[in-house]
Amino acid sequence: MAEHAAHRIFASQVLLGNGWATDVALSVGPNGTITEVESGASPRAGDTIAAGPVIPALSNLHSHAFQRAMAGLAEVSGRGEDSFWTWRDTMYRMVDRLSPDDVEVVATRLYVDMLKCGYGRVGEFHYLHHDRGGVAYADRAEMSGRIIAAATASGIGVTLLPVFYAHANFGGAAPNDGQSRFIHTVDDFLALMDTLRPRTAVVNATLGFAIHSLRAATPDEMHAILAAAPGEGPIHIHVAEQQGEVDAGLAWSGRRPLGWLLDEMPVDRNWCLIHATHADTNEVQRIAASGAVVGLCPTTEASLGDGIFPATAFRAHGGRFGIGSDSHVSVSSSEELRLLEYGQRLRDERRVRLVDGPGRSNGRDLFEVALAGGAQALGQPTAGLKVGAAADLVVLDGNDAFIAAADGDTVLDRWIFARGDHAVRDVMVAGAWQVQDRRHRLDETIDQAFAEVLKRLC
Ligand code: ZN
């Protein structure tokens, strides 16, 4: 991790780990962590004066970076019923044309945009491993290395989740041609993990891993990977995103995918279940009791017509969730939170659903749950601004009329439900400013490179 000079930030309002505080001085040490928090302080010469309220940066717990290149390209109706599965065919055609350079450019531009939307860390669920036709690169971690390079260049923290993917459907079905760039044997996958361990240890990165889905791995393969990689960091899996997957799981095992996963795998707080959209009442209770995080991706789930996760019931059981932008039809953190809440409202024909009790702010409760769930899912020891935590923070724009007229929880309600991304002014990750006054140092160069990649691919 980069070394920076120790410094102090003074802000009139800060959302700390134990709530809002006023006139706060945050001291940041040379290793990028918060070393002291003083409330009721006075600004000193040399302090950086925050230009508005300071809140912790959120984690984006689910990303497939390359999919950003096809956002907006799957919006023309096909010959039959359009679905997740027809979208996936479009995605596979895009995958076939991507070079390592393309992936690095697309990911760098995406991560810069994530920072500008108030994310300080991304969980990259990375399954594009090989060259066209499934040919291995000379460096087996070529593509993973491009993700690490993109994160490092942008300044975002990354939790890299190399994905094990071996089959096209339940029961160990052979992969299809569109999946050839994703496929590993168990031994090759474990060798990839060995290669990545030292490479992720030297940057602001955490290494975990993912099983693509119950469609893509057999129970024996999953057990073999779990046995070989104990305590490796977080474990992510796509599960029960589509009713079609639930039906196929029932046909395969007589059990629903979530029920099977909870019965057969050691699901605990180290796991993150991506989507879990089609969870029944019993599964909702069991996931909550396991301590696992559900990774909700509301804009992608809406884009793909997945369905609506029973988040109110899940929260009633103390369930933990975080948010991710998945296919990146949106990169906006406030939009994910807003749409998550609005899905519950539309289903229930009621307002203010995801709150922990009467009189509570919807924005505050959404934000706090997603902050804690995101940090847990990305293997971070702590969430929020406190001594010992990483200085990953966002300054909302105190000159914006909505933010200027707000204090305390209303700041979050105004940002999430009214103002959106434009309220994000400055973003610090690991003690270094990455976005200042809505600008990132790579803006010009990465914009141009990204435009060239898009023109060539599309
Ligand atoms: Zn996904």
Side-chain angles (χ1 to χ4, degrees):
M1 218 175 287
E3 294 277 310
H4 311 286
H7 54 274
R8 228 174 74 127
I9 301 158
F10 179 85
S12 55
Q13 282 193 87
V14 179
L15 181 58
L16 296 172
N18 55 358
W20 287 98
T22 52
D23 295 331
V24 179
L26 292 172
S27 299
V28 179
N31 68 350
T33 60
I34 296 169
T35 54
E36 193 181 349
V37 177
E38 190 189 345
S39 301
S42 304
R44 277 192 215 146
D47 284 359
T48 300
I49 309 294
V54 172
I55 61 175
L58 284 166
S59 291
N60 184 332
L61 59 65
H62 190 64
S63 164
H64 310 290
F66 74 85
Q67 291 182 11
R68 180 61 171 161
M70 64 174 281
L73 286 189
E75 308 301 335
V76 178
S77 69
R79 281 189 292 275
E81 283 276 288
D82 294 287
S83 70
F84 170 87
W85 312 101
T86 56
W87 169 87
R88 196 180 68 161
D89 291 340
T90 309
M91 186 265 282
Y92 285 175
R93 285 195 293 277
M94 158 80 63
V95 159
D96 199 46
R97 300 203 293 276
L98 290 167
S99 71
D101 285 348
D102 294 340
V103 167
E104 186 172 339
V105 165
V106 171
T108 305
R109 171 60 201 266
L110 171 70
Y111 295 162
V112 167
D113 287 345
M114 280 186 194
L115 287 162
K116 290 180 175 180
C117 291
Y119 290 119
R121 175 165 285 268
V122 59
E124 185 64 35
F125 194 107
H126 175 68
Y127 59 83
L128 179 52
H129 299 298
H130 311 304
D131 203 348
R132 294 175 184 86
V135 177
Y137 289 109
D139 171 8
R140 69 172 75 244
E142 173 74 44
M143 282 294 199
S144 298
R146 300 308 188 109
I147 295 295
I148 296 168
T152 306
S154 74
I156 201 166
V158 65
T159 294
L160 183 63
L161 303 158
V163 177
F164 178 76
Y165 199 137
H167 304 286
N169 214 333
F170 290 96
N176 62 45
D177 289 348
Q179 295 162 338
S180 61
R181 299 187 74 178
F182 317 152
I183 302 302
H184 275 117
T185 63
V186 169
D187 286 347
D188 285 347
F189 179 73
L190 294 175
L192 172 66
M193 294 293 292
D194 288 341
T195 306
L196 285 171
R197 231 165 260 125
R199 293 198 203 176
T200 48
V202 293
V203 290
N204 185 8
T206 298
L207 184 64
F209 66 89
I211 307 289
H212 180 273
S213 57
L214 297 181
R215 288 177 278 120
T218 64
D220 285 350
E221 288 163 344
M222 292 176 70
H223 283 301
I225 290 167
L226 288 169
E232 188 70 63
I235 303 165
H236 288 219
I237 185 168
H238 290 127
V239 61
E241 177 177 8
Q242 286 278 322
Q243 186 59 43
E245 182 189 330
V246 177
D247 297 342
L250 278 165
W252 166 62
S253 70
R255 281 179 279 175
R256 299 164 57 83
L258 277 162
W260 187 94
L261 187 70
L262 291 157
D263 287 345
E264 302 295 336
M265 293 292 147
V267 174
D268 62 12
R269 65 185 315 284
N270 205 34
W271 286 64
C272 179
L273 312 186
I274 303 298
H275 306 302
T277 311
H278 298 276
D280 69 16
T281 308
N282 182 253
E283 289 164 344
V284 160
Q285 292 179 31
R286 292 184 67 195
I287 303 167
S290 76
V293 173
V294 170
L296 299 171
C297 308
T299 62
T300 292
E301 289 155 7
S303 166
L304 296 177
D306 287 344
I308 298 173
F309 175 73
T312 45
F314 185 59
R315 282 297 297 155
H317 291 288
R320 302 158 192 223
F321 66 74
I323 52 164
S325 56
D326 193 356
S327 70
H328 312 302
V329 283
S330 168
V331 188
S332 166
S333 57
S334 54
E335 187 177 4
E336 298 298 345
L337 293 171
R338 187 169 64 247
L339 190 59
L340 168 59
E341 167 65 25
Y342 281 0
Q344 308 294 304
R345 293 188 189 188
L346 287 163
R347 180 199 58 209
D348 295 345
E349 302 179 35
R350 292 284 185 278
R351 301 194 71 250
V352 194
R353 305 310 289 150
L354 291 169
V355 284
D356 290 340
R360 296 191 59 88
S361 147
N362 205 172
R364 172 77 181 277
D365 281 355
L366 282 165
F367 183 83
E368 293 278 12
V369 176
L371 180 73
Q376 179 182 325
L378 297 190
Q380 302 309 293
T382 182
L385 301 175
K386 55 188 145 191
V387 171
D392 292 357
L393 56 85
V394 171
V395 182
L396 297 174
D397 189 352
N399 291 320
D400 182 279
F402 283 100
I403 302 302
D407 66 4
D409 291 344
T410 312
V411 168
L412 295 169
D413 286 331
R414 288 287 208 183
W415 169 48
I416 293 166
F417 292 103
R419 197 63 174 113
D421 303 332
H422 200 72
V424 175
R425 185 183 193 279
D426 309 300
V427 180
M428 170 178 276
V429 178
W433 292 110
Q434 307 297 342
V435 174
Q436 290 186 287
D437 201 6
R438 301 185 179 81
R439 305 281 305 155
H440 188 283
R441 61 192 169 277
L442 295 182
D443 278 343
E444 280 76 21
T445 48
I446 200 62
D447 261 5
Q448 196 182 346
F450 183 65
E452 283 164 17
V453 169
L454 283 198
K455 269 188 210 144
R456 192 159 36 72
L457 287 176
C458 311

PDB file of all heavy atoms in Angstrom, residues 62 64 67 125 127 238 241 274-275 326-327, ligand 1:
ATOM      1  N   HIS A  62     -20.059  -6.570  -5.945  1.00  0.00           N
ATOM      2  CA  HIS A  62     -20.194  -7.521  -7.069  1.00  0.00           C
ATOM      3  C   HIS A  62     -20.020  -6.818  -8.402  1.00  0.00           C
ATOM      4  O   HIS A  62     -20.864  -6.006  -8.797  1.00  0.00           O
ATOM      5  CB  HIS A  62     -21.557  -8.217  -7.000  1.00  0.00           C
ATOM      6  CG  HIS A  62     -21.687  -9.367  -7.947  1.00  0.00           C
ATOM      7  ND1 HIS A  62     -20.904 -10.494  -7.849  1.00  0.00           N
ATOM      8  CD2 HIS A  62     -22.494  -9.583  -9.024  1.00  0.00           C
ATOM      9  CE1 HIS A  62     -21.233 -11.343  -8.810  1.00  0.00           C
ATOM     10  NE2 HIS A  62     -22.187 -10.807  -9.547  1.00  0.00           N
ATOM     11  N   HIS A  64     -18.570  -7.440 -12.595  1.00  0.00           N
ATOM     12  CA  HIS A  64     -17.906  -8.096 -13.723  1.00  0.00           C
ATOM     13  C   HIS A  64     -17.474  -6.940 -14.619  1.00  0.00           C
ATOM     14  O   HIS A  64     -18.255  -6.454 -15.437  1.00  0.00           O
ATOM     15  CB  HIS A  64     -18.847  -9.021 -14.484  1.00  0.00           C
ATOM     16  CG  HIS A  64     -19.602  -9.989 -13.623  1.00  0.00           C
ATOM     17  ND1 HIS A  64     -18.989 -11.053 -12.994  1.00  0.00           N
ATOM     18  CD2 HIS A  64     -20.909 -10.053 -13.268  1.00  0.00           C
ATOM     19  CE1 HIS A  64     -19.899 -11.726 -12.305  1.00  0.00           C
ATOM     20  NE2 HIS A  64     -21.064 -11.134 -12.444  1.00  0.00           N
ATOM     21  N   GLN A  67     -18.193  -6.260 -18.403  1.00  0.00           N
ATOM     22  CA  GLN A  67     -19.568  -6.091 -18.865  1.00  0.00           C
ATOM     23  C   GLN A  67     -19.961  -4.618 -19.018  1.00  0.00           C
ATOM     24  O   GLN A  67     -20.947  -4.291 -19.684  1.00  0.00           O
ATOM     25  CB  GLN A  67     -20.540  -6.827 -17.934  1.00  0.00           C
ATOM     26  CG  GLN A  67     -20.390  -8.351 -18.034  1.00  0.00           C
ATOM     27  CD  GLN A  67     -21.360  -9.120 -17.154  1.00  0.00           C
ATOM     28  OE1 GLN A  67     -22.304  -8.566 -16.598  1.00  0.00           O
ATOM     29  NE2 GLN A  67     -21.124 -10.419 -17.014  1.00  0.00           N
ATOM     30  N   PHE A 125     -15.678 -10.163  -9.291  1.00  0.00           N
ATOM     31  CA  PHE A 125     -16.065 -11.570  -9.475  1.00  0.00           C
ATOM     32  C   PHE A 125     -15.582 -11.927 -10.878  1.00  0.00           C
ATOM     33  O   PHE A 125     -16.277 -11.759 -11.872  1.00  0.00           O
ATOM     34  CB  PHE A 125     -17.585 -11.647  -9.349  1.00  0.00           C
ATOM     35  CG  PHE A 125     -18.206 -13.004  -9.179  1.00  0.00           C
ATOM     36  CD1 PHE A 125     -18.721 -13.381  -7.947  1.00  0.00           C
ATOM     37  CD2 PHE A 125     -18.349 -13.883 -10.242  1.00  0.00           C
ATOM     38  CE1 PHE A 125     -19.377 -14.607  -7.789  1.00  0.00           C
ATOM     39  CE2 PHE A 125     -18.987 -15.111 -10.090  1.00  0.00           C
ATOM     40  CZ  PHE A 125     -19.498 -15.476  -8.858  1.00  0.00           C
ATOM     41  N   TYR A 127     -14.221 -13.938 -13.952  1.00  0.00           N
ATOM     42  CA  TYR A 127     -14.240 -15.273 -14.564  1.00  0.00           C
ATOM     43  C   TYR A 127     -13.688 -15.315 -15.979  1.00  0.00           C
ATOM     44  O   TYR A 127     -13.649 -16.367 -16.600  1.00  0.00           O
ATOM     45  CB  TYR A 127     -15.643 -15.882 -14.506  1.00  0.00           C
ATOM     46  CG  TYR A 127     -16.761 -15.126 -15.177  1.00  0.00           C
ATOM     47  CD1 TYR A 127     -16.990 -15.234 -16.551  1.00  0.00           C
ATOM     48  CD2 TYR A 127     -17.619 -14.318 -14.436  1.00  0.00           C
ATOM     49  CE1 TYR A 127     -18.025 -14.546 -17.168  1.00  0.00           C
ATOM     50  CE2 TYR A 127     -18.665 -13.632 -15.036  1.00  0.00           C
ATOM     51  CZ  TYR A 127     -18.867 -13.748 -16.404  1.00  0.00           C
ATOM     52  OH  TYR A 127     -19.899 -13.070 -16.998  1.00  0.00           O
ATOM     53  N   HIS A 238     -22.979 -16.957  -7.213  1.00  0.00           N
ATOM     54  CA  HIS A 238     -24.293 -16.563  -7.747  1.00  0.00           C
ATOM     55  C   HIS A 238     -25.282 -17.670  -7.382  1.00  0.00           C
ATOM     56  O   HIS A 238     -25.006 -18.843  -7.630  1.00  0.00           O
ATOM     57  CB  HIS A 238     -24.271 -16.546  -9.277  1.00  0.00           C
ATOM     58  CG  HIS A 238     -23.484 -15.467  -9.937  1.00  0.00           C
ATOM     59  ND1 HIS A 238     -22.527 -15.737 -10.876  1.00  0.00           N
ATOM     60  CD2 HIS A 238     -23.554 -14.124  -9.841  1.00  0.00           C
ATOM     61  CE1 HIS A 238     -22.026 -14.600 -11.340  1.00  0.00           C
ATOM     62  NE2 HIS A 238     -22.613 -13.608 -10.729  1.00  0.00           N
ATOM     63  N   GLU A 241     -30.758 -16.594  -8.927  1.00  0.00           N
ATOM     64  CA  GLU A 241     -31.030 -15.302  -9.549  1.00  0.00           C
ATOM     65  C   GLU A 241     -32.307 -15.350 -10.394  1.00  0.00           C
ATOM     66  O   GLU A 241     -33.019 -14.365 -10.489  1.00  0.00           O
ATOM     67  CB  GLU A 241     -29.831 -14.895 -10.432  1.00  0.00           C
ATOM     68  CG  GLU A 241     -30.052 -13.583 -11.196  1.00  0.00           C
ATOM     69  CD  GLU A 241     -28.850 -13.139 -12.002  1.00  0.00           C
ATOM     70  OE1 GLU A 241     -27.871 -13.910 -12.099  1.00  0.00           O
ATOM     71  OE2 GLU A 241     -28.885 -12.016 -12.523  1.00  0.00           O
ATOM     72  N   ILE A 274     -24.709 -14.120  -3.987  1.00  0.00           N
ATOM     73  CA  ILE A 274     -25.050 -13.052  -4.919  1.00  0.00           C
ATOM     74  C   ILE A 274     -26.459 -13.278  -5.476  1.00  0.00           C
ATOM     75  O   ILE A 274     -26.767 -14.362  -5.979  1.00  0.00           O
ATOM     76  CB  ILE A 274     -24.021 -12.975  -6.069  1.00  0.00           C
ATOM     77  CG1 ILE A 274     -22.598 -12.759  -5.518  1.00  0.00           C
ATOM     78  CG2 ILE A 274     -24.400 -11.877  -7.059  1.00  0.00           C
ATOM     79  CD1 ILE A 274     -22.385 -11.477  -4.755  1.00  0.00           C
ATOM     80  N   HIS A 275     -27.272 -12.266  -5.359  1.00  0.00           N
ATOM     81  CA  HIS A 275     -28.688 -12.197  -5.792  1.00  0.00           C
ATOM     82  C   HIS A 275     -29.621 -12.879  -4.789  1.00  0.00           C
ATOM     83  O   HIS A 275     -30.361 -12.191  -4.112  1.00  0.00           O
ATOM     84  CB  HIS A 275     -28.912 -12.780  -7.201  1.00  0.00           C
ATOM     85  CG  HIS A 275     -28.044 -12.178  -8.255  1.00  0.00           C
ATOM     86  ND1 HIS A 275     -28.055 -10.833  -8.514  1.00  0.00           N
ATOM     87  CD2 HIS A 275     -27.125 -12.722  -9.111  1.00  0.00           C
ATOM     88  CE1 HIS A 275     -27.187 -10.569  -9.492  1.00  0.00           C
ATOM     89  NE2 HIS A 275     -26.612 -11.700  -9.858  1.00  0.00           N
ATOM     90  N   ASP A 326     -22.667  -5.216 -10.507  1.00  0.00           N
ATOM     91  CA  ASP A 326     -22.783  -6.419 -11.328  1.00  0.00           C
ATOM     92  C   ASP A 326     -22.476  -6.152 -12.807  1.00  0.00           C
ATOM     93  O   ASP A 326     -21.325  -6.087 -13.205  1.00  0.00           O
ATOM     94  CB  ASP A 326     -24.184  -7.020 -11.103  1.00  0.00           C
ATOM     95  CG  ASP A 326     -24.337  -8.429 -11.655  1.00  0.00           C
ATOM     96  OD1 ASP A 326     -23.399  -8.934 -12.277  1.00  0.00           O
ATOM     97  OD2 ASP A 326     -25.400  -9.035 -11.454  1.00  0.00           O
ATOM     98  N   SER A 327     -23.497  -5.979 -13.650  1.00  0.00           N
ATOM     99  CA  SER A 327     -23.277  -5.794 -15.092  1.00  0.00           C
ATOM    100  C   SER A 327     -23.006  -4.336 -15.453  1.00  0.00           C
ATOM    101  O   SER A 327     -22.725  -4.024 -16.593  1.00  0.00           O
ATOM    102  CB  SER A 327     -24.501  -6.269 -15.870  1.00  0.00           C
ATOM    103  OG  SER A 327     -25.585  -5.376 -15.647  1.00  0.00           O
TER     104      SER A 327
HETATM  105 ZN    ZN B   1     -22.835 -11.494 -11.417  1.00  0.00          ZN
END
